């Protein structure tokens, strides 16, 4: 049944008259139009459209986590939206292959007309990075000094104001800190985890010490590695040591948030933890896809420019390579594997805790 009172026409609905006339090659203003500049423009316009959709999804996610309480029912929609973001990112990463059909000489035919325009000036991409949690203090030094310098005053003021607002990383951290299951009646996840890791490491040390076929130098190396692992586990559970590692940049999440994420990851099969685990996995994948995008972009720039500087004044490929390694957001979730235990070593949760984490139906009355 038709509900609209005014007929909707395809071209008008999509405003194709605006979209399809929005490609104006700069090279045509000075000489013969460079054929591949249209491809260059279209690819970047498509990027910006997908950035808009990603920001649309993240805005809805942020609105939920801004609330004092996040209901379990809301997590289904959150995970769905984040998975959509991941699918878009995968498409963006594939799109670089279309750009790479352009040869370096094809790019050179119009590149110099674009100075000083640069991807540095993509306000939406900066909104995405800031919104996820990559604020100025966590960027590489070049970014800290030049992140805003290539923007006009309006865009710079807008993004500087955005930096003062809580990011998704900060919202997730607060949500994890509110998880009630770390301490429940006489149950303490901290103590249970400490006992389990100590038992596992003691067993490992006994095994290494008892194998006669291991040469003594190799035995000492393995025992030393076990002790280093023991120190990492101990720092995770010691508030003072954890804060020291936080100040050194080893951790970004608070200790309580980190332990909550660890509890969720260890016992991901418990019904209440299933959606939170999917959420943490999505955040990891979003960060990973961003890293892949940076890497592919760096490789493409090296292929197109070699060692030339970028149009925005950066060191081109070298700059992009460093952002790939350093401009990360959810590294704590990646490093979580350091502290996971094999399923065979996981302590059985007390019955009263399992009831809280599961679905139980009482007798009919």
């Amino acid at each position: 049944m038709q509900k609209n009172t005014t007929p909707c026409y395809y071209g008008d609905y999509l405003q194709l008259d605006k979209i399809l006339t929005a490609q104006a090659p700069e090279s045509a203003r000075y000489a013969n139009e460079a054929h591949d500049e249209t491809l260059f423009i279209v690819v970047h316009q498509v990027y910006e459209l997908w950035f808009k959709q990603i920001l649309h999804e993240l805005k809805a996610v942020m609105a939920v986590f801004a609330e004092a309480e996040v209901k379990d029912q809301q997590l289904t929609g959150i995970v769905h939206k984040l998975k959509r973001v991941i699918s878009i990112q995968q498409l963006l990463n594939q799109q670089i292959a279309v750009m790479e059909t352009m040869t370096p000489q094809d790019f050179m035919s119009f590149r110099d007309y674009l100075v000083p325009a640069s991807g540095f000036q993509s306000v939406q991409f900066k909104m995405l990075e800031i919104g996820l949690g990559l604020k100025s203090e966590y960027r590489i030094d070049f970014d800290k000094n030049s992140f805003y310098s290539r923007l006009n005053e309006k865009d710079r003021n807008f993004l500087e104001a955005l930096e003062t607002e809580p990011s998704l990383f900060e919202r997730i951290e607060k949500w994890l800190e509110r998880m009630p299951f770390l301490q429940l009646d006489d149950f303490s996840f901290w103590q249970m985890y400490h006992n389990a890791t100590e038992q596992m490491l003691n067993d490992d040390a006994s095994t290494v010490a008892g194998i006669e076929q291991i040469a003594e130098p190799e035995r000492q190396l393995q025992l030393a590695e076990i002790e280093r692992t023991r120190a990492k586990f101990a720092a995770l559970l010691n508030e003072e040591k954890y804060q020291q590692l936080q100040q050194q940049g080893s951790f970004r999440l608070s200790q309580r948030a980190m332990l909550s994420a660890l509890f969720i990851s260890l016992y991901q099969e418990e019904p209440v933890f299933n959606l939170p685990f999917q959420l943490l996995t999505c955040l990891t994948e979003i960060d990973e896809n961003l890293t892949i995008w940076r890497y592919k972009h760096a490789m493409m720039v090296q292929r197109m420019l070699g060692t030339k500087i970028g149009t925005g004044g950066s060191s081109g490929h070298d700059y992009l390579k460093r952002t790939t390694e350093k401009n990360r957001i959810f590294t704590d979730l990646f490093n979580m594997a350091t502290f996971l235990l094999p399923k065979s070593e996981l302590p059985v949760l007390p019955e009263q805790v399992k009831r809280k984490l599961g679905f139980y139906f009482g007798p009919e009355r």
Side-chain angles (χ1 to χ4, degrees):
M1 180 67 69
Q2 183 175 339
K3 293 186 177 181
N4 55 319
T5 56
T6 304
C8 186
Y9 189 68
Y10 179 84
D12 295 337
Y13 176 64
L14 298 179
Q15 299 190 52
L16 295 182
D17 57 333
K18 295 180 181 179
I19 294 175
L20 299 180
T21 57
Q23 296 75 41
E26 195 74 6
S27 59
R29 297 177 57 191
Y30 303 96
N32 293 330
E33 179 183 322
H35 176 80
D36 279 16
E37 190 176 358
T38 296
L39 170 69
F40 189 81
I41 293 170
V42 168
V43 167
H44 283 83
Q45 287 177 335
V46 171
Y47 271 133
E48 292 295 333
L49 285 171
W50 282 126
F51 290 160
K52 181 173 183 177
Q53 185 63 38
I54 291 174
L55 290 169
H56 180 65
E57 303 298 340
L58 292 180
K59 182 180 179 181
V61 170
M62 291 280 283
V64 174
F65 281 104
E67 298 172 6
E69 179 186 3
V70 179
K71 296 180 173 59
D72 291 341
Q73 298 92 319
Q74 293 174 295
L75 289 180
T76 301
I78 293 297
V79 169
H80 177 71
K81 290 177 177 62
L82 292 180
K83 286 185 176 180
R84 178 179 291 164
V85 169
I86 292 166
S87 293
I88 294 172
Q89 286 182 300
Q90 291 168 344
L91 187 60
L92 294 179
N93 287 340
Q94 293 170 2
Q95 187 173 298
I96 291 179
V98 179
M99 185 84 83
E100 289 181 327
T101 63
M102 182 171 58
T103 69
Q105 285 185 311
D106 291 333
F107 185 40
M108 289 172 64
S109 66
F110 64 88
R111 174 185 180 257
D112 289 347
Y113 296 123
L114 307 184
V115 176
S118 166
F120 276 128
Q121 296 166 336
S122 172
V123 173
Q124 287 199 122
F125 187 69
K126 291 181 184 292
M127 289 172 63
L128 173 58
E129 290 185 315
I130 293 170
L132 286 172
L134 187 59
K135 297 186 177 182
S136 294
E137 61 189 291
Y138 299 107
R139 294 181 173 277
I140 63 172
D141 290 341
F142 181 88
D143 265 2
K144 290 178 182 178
N145 299 326
S146 64
F147 187 67
Y148 292 118
S149 63
R150 290 166 176 78
L151 299 176
N152 61 38
E153 184 177 3
K154 176 185 174 183
D155 290 340
R156 183 167 58 250
N157 291 340
F158 169 74
L159 291 172
E160 286 176 343
L162 188 62
E163 290 234 19
T164 65
E165 298 178 12
S167 66
L168 181 60
F169 180 96
E170 293 165 292
R171 297 290 193 195
I172 293 292
E173 181 179 49
K174 295 300 181 185
W175 170 71
L176 286 169
E177 288 174 347
R178 295 197 299 268
M179 193 183 83
F181 303 113
L182 289 178
Q183 195 79 37
L184 199 64
D185 299 328
D186 58 348
F187 168 77
S188 169
F189 170 72
W190 305 52
Q191 189 60 52
M192 182 193 72
Y193 180 73
H194 170 74
N195 294 342
T197 54
E198 278 294 298
Q199 183 63 52
M200 180 186 70
L201 293 171
N202 289 340
D203 290 345
D204 289 346
S206 296
T207 299
V208 170
I211 299 177
E212 297 179 0
Q213 292 84 351
I214 299 178
E216 193 57 31
E218 177 63 23
R219 188 193 316 278
Q220 293 306 316
L221 286 174
Q222 290 189 29
L223 290 173
E225 181 59 35
I226 290 172
E227 291 309 307
R228 281 192 290 270
T229 302
R230 193 189 303 274
K232 290 178 183 177
F233 280 104
L236 181 66
L237 298 173
N238 183 288
E239 185 175 359
E240 183 178 346
K241 291 180 180 178
Y242 189 93
Q243 288 178 351
Q244 290 174 357
L245 290 174
Q246 238 185 335
Q247 292 168 2
Q248 295 167 13
S250 298
F251 294 107
R252 185 174 167 187
L253 284 171
S254 69
Q255 185 187 28
R256 184 175 180 86
M258 187 70 174
L259 286 171
S260 293
L262 180 60
F263 195 1
I264 291 168
S265 298
L266 286 169
Y267 292 93
Q268 58 192 261
E269 295 175 356
E270 297 296 331
V272 169
F273 283 165
N274 183 260
L275 282 171
F277 177 71
Q278 289 188 53
L279 168 62
L280 298 181
T281 300
C282 284
L283 296 175
T284 306
E285 289 188 26
I286 288 171
D287 203 359
E288 180 177 345
N289 281 327
L290 264 178
T291 302
I292 291 171
W293 186 85
R294 294 182 196 280
Y295 176 78
K296 283 178 171 285
H297 193 194
M299 292 298 99
M300 180 186 68
V301 168
Q302 185 178 31
R303 176 178 172 178
M304 294 292 179
L305 297 181
T307 58
K308 297 187 187 81
I309 64 170
T311 52
S314 74
S315 56
H317 167 259
D318 182 61
Y319 160 76
L320 290 168
K321 183 180 177 182
R322 284 187 289 126
T323 62
T324 299
E325 298 167 349
K326 301 296 183 181
N327 283 359
R328 304 278 298 282
I329 303 163
F330 296 101
T331 50
D332 288 332
L333 300 183
F334 282 86
N335 294 333
M336 189 78 67
T338 305
F339 305 104
L340 294 178
L341 302 174
K343 288 186 178 181
S344 60
E345 304 288 341
L346 276 182
V348 177
L349 293 171
E351 185 60 28
Q352 75 271 23
V353 177
K354 284 188 69 68
R355 290 183 68 86
K356 296 282 187 180
L357 300 179
F359 302 121
Y360 286 85
F361 297 90
E364 293 185 4
R365 295 178 181 272

